């Protein structure tokens, strides 16, 4: 390809960080609902996870990008009908741009979530009852629905985590089908279900003949969020089939919507959106990214573009962990410079940085920057003290 551009690894990193909203320093100013919605729109999703060692995972990316903010504003956005954001399946369970729901619906492949093909007659009848109930009672959890419809709890709790009764199987299936969605979550972190029309309004159905158009939109949106990417990066962002994503990228490259480029040190072809401007620099604003941040949840991409090997060690036995239980990668400028194992000890009002590991060759000048960020994070978490070390 005689006309193919060559980018340095530094240029690729700057593009990737800018696309993720991580290239400009954070400013001490009010963070409004509009700014939060815009930041989420830029990256398309906030992954949700129930682990609350520091703060729920979907709250953390906005702190890394915007600084201290009122999480209640994000909660209000998610609980508001016709909001620009809601919850659905993307990379995993995520806060997503509402306009992506129908496209994601036809391409998400989590058969373990939607089990309606194997429903009994009683479960099919319960599905109709749930829809009827939610038409009059939007914002109800599966537990509330079970009580209202007199659905028995599961009797034998054989699974360590998931012991679903029929209501939970039905609501998860209806949610996967986007027949019901969520008006945020309650204080027990349970989804507050409502009919999809009550959450995002009436949306046009994306049927089988229009699957390709949905794929094209998802690929374009992934490229928006990634800035520069291999085919694997694009497929992984929304969990799209690799072959389909690769073929769609080739189509968009042929049509001039994306540009195939070579990046120094990366053997795979990379794609860049047409007209992308390469930032001249990335501000040196030290940020701690949660394990589920969209900048780091693709571990293969992180290692390929940034030379940073990162694995989450929550499920690793303690004696086998290298860096700790809930480890935040440390981003400074365009480099990942270390890791911090964090815990918010709310009973003692302490943000505990249990272990700090710097990458080889990182100068000690980073330490004051880390301390300043830990202090900022502690204030945001309403914790009175920062403790570093075991």
């Amino acid at each position: 390809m005689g006309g193919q551009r060559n980018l340095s690894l530094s240029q690729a990193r700057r593009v990737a960080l800018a696309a993720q909203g991580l290239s400009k320093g954070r400013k001490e100013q009010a963070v409004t609902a509009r700014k939060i919605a815009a930041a989420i729109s830029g990256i398309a999703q906030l992954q949700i996870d129930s682990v609350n060692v520091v703060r729920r995972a979907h709250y953390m990316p906005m702190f890394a990008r915007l600084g201290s903010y009122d999480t209640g504003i994000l909660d209000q956005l998610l609980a508001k009908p016709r909001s620009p954001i809601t919850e659905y399946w993307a990379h995993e369970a995520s806060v997503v741009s509402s306009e992506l729901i129908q496209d994601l619906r036809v391409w998400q492949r989590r058969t373990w979530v939607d089990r309606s093909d194997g429903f009994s007659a009683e479960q099919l009848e319960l599905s109709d009852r749930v829809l009827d109930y939610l038409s009059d009672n939007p914002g109800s959890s599966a537990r509330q629905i079970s009580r209202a419809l007199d659905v028995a709890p599961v009797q034998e709790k054989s699974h360590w985590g998931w012991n679903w009764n029929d209501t939970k199987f039905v609501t998860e299936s209806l949610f996967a089908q986007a027949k019901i969605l969520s008006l945020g979550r309650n204080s027990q972190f349970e989804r507050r279900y409502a009919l999809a029309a009550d959450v995002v309004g009436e949306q046009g159905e994306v049927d089988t003949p229009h699957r390709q158009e949905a794929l094209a939109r998802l690929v374009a949106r992934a490229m928006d969020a990634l800035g520069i990417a291999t085919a694997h990066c694009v497929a992984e962002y929304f969990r799209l089939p690799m072959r389909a994503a690769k073929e769609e990228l080739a189509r968009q490259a042929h049509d001039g919507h994306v540009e195939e480029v070579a990046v120094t040190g990366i053997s795979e072809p990379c794609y860049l959106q047409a007209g992308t401007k390469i930032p001249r620099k990335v501000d040196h604003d030290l940020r701690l990214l949660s394990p589920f941040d969209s900048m780091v949840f693709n571990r293969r991409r992180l290692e390929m573009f940034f030379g940073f090997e990162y694995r989450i060690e929550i499920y690793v036995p303690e004696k086998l962990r290298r860096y700790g239980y809930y480890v935040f990668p440390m981003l400074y400028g365009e480099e990942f410079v270390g890791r911090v194992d964090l815990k918010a000890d709310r009973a003692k009002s302490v943000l505990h940085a249990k272990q700090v590991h710097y990458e080889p060759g990182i100068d000690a000048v980073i330490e004051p920057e880390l301390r300043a960020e830990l202090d900022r994070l502690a204030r945001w978490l309403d914790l009175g003290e920062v403790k570093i070390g075991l």
Side-chain angles (χ1 to χ4, degrees):
M1 297 184 186
Q4 188 181 69
R5 271 205 293 171
N6 293 288
L7 271 63
S8 69
L9 203 52
S10 175
Q11 288 175 314
R13 289 174 177 177
R14 280 178 265 149
V15 170
L17 291 168
Q20 280 284 308
L22 293 167
S23 63
K24 300 291 185 182
R26 290 162 292 176
K27 298 176 181 178
E28 297 295 334
Q29 58 185 25
V31 177
T32 63
R34 181 173 293 183
K35 287 181 181 178
I36 291 171
I40 296 172
S41 178
I43 59 177
Q45 62 181 309
L46 306 175
Q47 188 172 332
I48 294 172
D49 190 85
S50 60
V51 174
N52 197 19
V53 176
V54 178
R55 180 159 271 184
R56 300 284 188 194
H58 65 290
Y59 293 126
M60 295 304 303
M62 291 298 97
F63 177 79
R65 287 157 178 80
L66 302 175
S68 297
Y69 75 101
D70 180 358
T71 58
I73 298 175
L74 178 53
D75 291 338
Q76 290 166 12
L77 277 171
L78 288 169
K80 179 182 177 182
R82 314 295 196 275
S83 174
I85 60 172
T86 188
E87 184 180 338
Y88 196 61
W89 290 101
H91 183 78
E92 292 295 342
S94 302
V95 174
V96 300
S97 297
S98 297
E99 64 193 23
L100 294 179
I101 296 294
Q102 289 299 328
D103 292 339
L104 289 166
R105 179 187 64 78
V106 296
W107 282 99
Q108 66 110 1
R109 298 169 293 158
R110 294 169 177 85
T111 54
W112 61 270
V113 178
D114 181 3
R115 302 189 182 182
S116 57
D117 284 348
F119 275 3
S120 65
E122 291 80 5
Q123 288 171 319
L124 291 172
E125 189 262 343
L126 178 60
S127 298
D128 291 334
R129 291 171 64 204
V130 167
L131 291 171
D132 288 341
Y133 180 79
L134 288 176
S135 69
D136 295 325
N137 300 275
S140 298
S141 69
R143 191 194 319 241
Q144 290 172 314
I145 297 169
S146 285
R147 282 199 298 263
L149 301 184
D150 196 25
V151 179
V154 65
Q155 297 300 314
E156 183 180 345
K157 296 188 176 182
S158 57
H159 191 278
W160 65 269
W162 295 336
N163 294 287
W164 293 357
N165 71 349
D166 279 350
T167 303
K168 186 63 174 171
F169 280 113
V170 164
T171 53
E172 287 291 337
S173 295
L174 291 172
F175 182 81
Q177 297 163 25
K179 291 182 178 178
I180 64 174
L181 294 171
S182 174
L183 289 171
R185 294 192 175 222
N186 63 21
S187 59
Q188 286 77 48
F189 205 56
E190 300 168 316
R191 286 193 189 113
R192 300 174 57 247
Y193 292 108
L195 298 181
D198 290 337
V199 178
V200 294
E202 296 292 344
Q203 291 196 328
E205 186 82 3
V206 178
D207 54 17
T208 300
H210 295 94
R211 273 171 57 88
Q212 193 62 43
E213 296 172 21
L215 177 65
R217 288 189 291 266
L218 291 173
V219 166
R221 198 62 178 273
M223 284 298 306
D224 281 341
L226 293 165
I228 188 167
T230 65
H232 174 269
C233 298
V234 170
E236 185 71 4
Y237 204 71
F238 291 126
R239 303 288 200 193
L240 301 171
M242 177 63 185
R243 181 176 178 179
K246 192 171 185 179
E247 290 174 351
E248 177 56 33
L249 272 171
R251 272 190 288 272
Q252 294 193 17
H254 179 269
D255 294 340
H257 300 306
V258 298
E259 175 186 1
E260 186 175 332
V261 297
V263 176
T264 302
I266 296 179
S267 58
E268 299 177 43
C270 294
Y271 295 89
L272 189 71
Q273 282 194 315
T276 296
K277 294 182 179 179
I278 299 172
R280 293 184 178 181
K281 67 181 182 68
V282 171
D283 291 345
H284 284 83
D285 182 4
L286 191 142
R287 309 165 202 254
L288 301 175
L289 303 183
S290 80
F292 302 102
D293 193 290
S294 54
M295 187 68 226
V296 302
F297 62 41
N298 184 340
R299 317 302 191 210
R300 174 174 159 182
R301 181 173 192 258
L302 192 61
E303 192 166 350
M304 182 185 299
F305 282 90
F306 292 88
F308 188 74
E309 183 184 346
Y310 175 62
R311 301 290 181 271
I312 191 166
E313 298 182 271
I314 289 176
Y315 304 111
V316 175
E318 185 174 3
K319 63 182 180 181
L320 299 179
R321 292 177 194 141
R322 296 176 63 191
Y323 300 110
Y325 179 75
Y326 203 62
V327 177
F328 283 55
M330 192 189 311
L331 176 66
Y332 188 62
E334 62 182 64
E335 294 183 84
F336 284 87
V337 296
R339 303 163 174 80
V340 186
D341 183 19
L342 285 178
K343 179 180 179 179
D345 188 335
R346 296 171 181 87
K348 297 180 179 178
S349 193
V350 170
L351 177 61
H352 192 181
K354 297 163 71 175
Q355 297 183 68
V356 178
H357 298 272
Y358 294 106
E359 289 292 275
I362 295 301
D363 193 274
V365 72
I366 298 298
E367 292 184 16
E369 300 282 351
L370 173 60
R371 180 68 198 217
E373 181 64 3
L374 290 172
D375 287 343
R376 186 194 321 211
L377 179 57
R379 289 194 299 272
W380 180 58
L381 295 171
D382 291 324
L383 301 174
E385 181 185 352
V386 171
K387 178 183 176 183
I388 300 178
L390 296 173

